[in-house]
């Protein structure tokens, strides 16, 4: 793996680790209770991040993604009816699959899937995808930081 890929992977891993560290130690009530007026839950955010990994690396980079273990549910956005162990396992599995795709794919490989709301040139290859996922994960880690502080006053829990 070349220097640029190693650096990008290091940043991606750091953001993923921040998400998990921020939520570490919270019980199911704290993970499944909305804290902000918009109604999302910390656990729902983790599930969303799992779907983001799946979407960007599997559907966009490779053009295919297998089915998830559950049907589309009718629940509020960024919430989940699933148990914490199921959601965290899903997130970790999607990250593992993303890492496999990342390792096996050159950065300038054109994306096989398309995201209809973005200009094609914006996320045209693996490099654009990984930068987007780093950005999205970091943004949501920041939101989780705020929610964790509101839940129990703890701050500075991520590795960065």
């Amino acid at each position: 793996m070349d220097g640029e890929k190693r650096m990008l992977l290091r940043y991606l891993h750091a953001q993923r680790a921040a998400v998990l560290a921020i939520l570490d130690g919270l019980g199911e009530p704290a993970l499944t209770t909305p804290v902000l007026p918009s109604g999302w839950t910390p656990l729902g955010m983790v599930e969303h991040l799992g779907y983001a990994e799946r979407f960007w690396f599997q559907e966009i980079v490779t053009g295919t993604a297998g089915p998830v273990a559950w049907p589309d549910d009718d629940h509020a956005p960024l919430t989940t009816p699933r148990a914490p162990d199921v959601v965290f396992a899903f997130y970790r599995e999607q990250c593992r699959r993303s890492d496999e795709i990342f390792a096996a794919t050159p950065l300038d490989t054109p994306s096989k899937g398309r995201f209809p709301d973005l200009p094609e040139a914006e996320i045209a290859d693996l490099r654009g995808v990984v930068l987007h996922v780093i950005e999205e994960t970091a943004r949501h880690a920041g939101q989780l930081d705020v929610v964790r502080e509101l839940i129990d006053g703890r701050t500075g829990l991520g590795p960065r």
Side-chain angles (χ1 to χ4, degrees):
M1 189 178 297
D2 71 20
E4 182 182 9
K5 277 189 91 168
R6 273 194 306 278
M7 179 188 63
L8 289 169
L9 190 59
R10 190 169 53 247
Y11 275 89
L12 180 58
H13 284 175
Q15 294 309 316
R16 291 172 178 161
V19 166
L20 297 174
I22 290 161
L23 299 178
D24 187 49
L26 290 178
E28 188 165 351
L31 290 169
T32 58
T33 301
V35 176
L36 300 175
S38 56
W40 61 270
T41 66
L43 194 61
M45 184 65 79
V46 173
E47 188 173 281
H48 167 74
L49 286 168
Y51 274 111
E53 292 272 351
R54 180 180 177 277
F55 176 78
W56 288 105
F57 284 98
Q58 294 173 52
E59 291 184 38
I60 298 299
V61 173
T62 71
T64 61
V68 294
W70 49 75
D72 271 342
D73 292 305
D74 186 23
H75 58 273
L78 299 176
T79 68
T80 180
R82 284 165 278 286
D85 61 325
V86 172
V87 172
F88 283 107
F90 172 71
Y91 180 60
R92 287 183 175 103
E93 175 62 14
Q94 299 313 306
C95 291
R96 184 194 65 74
R97 289 180 182 179
S98 297
D99 286 351
E100 286 178 353
I101 293 165
F102 185 80
T105 309
L107 287 173
D108 60 355
T109 300
S111 298
K112 292 183 179 161
R114 296 289 171 246
F115 188 73
D117 294 337
L118 290 176
E120 197 166 303
E122 191 168 321
I123 302 180
D125 56 17
L126 177 62
R127 182 180 286 104
V129 166
V130 72
L131 288 169
H132 176 78
V133 174
I134 290 167
E135 172 191 43
E136 181 167 358
T137 307
R139 177 179 184 217
H140 292 322
Q143 292 169 314
L144 289 167
D145 261 334
V146 170
V147 165
R148 179 65 189 253
E149 184 175 357
L150 291 170
I151 290 170
D152 64 8
R154 295 194 64 199
T155 62
L157 300 174
R160 287 192 176 251

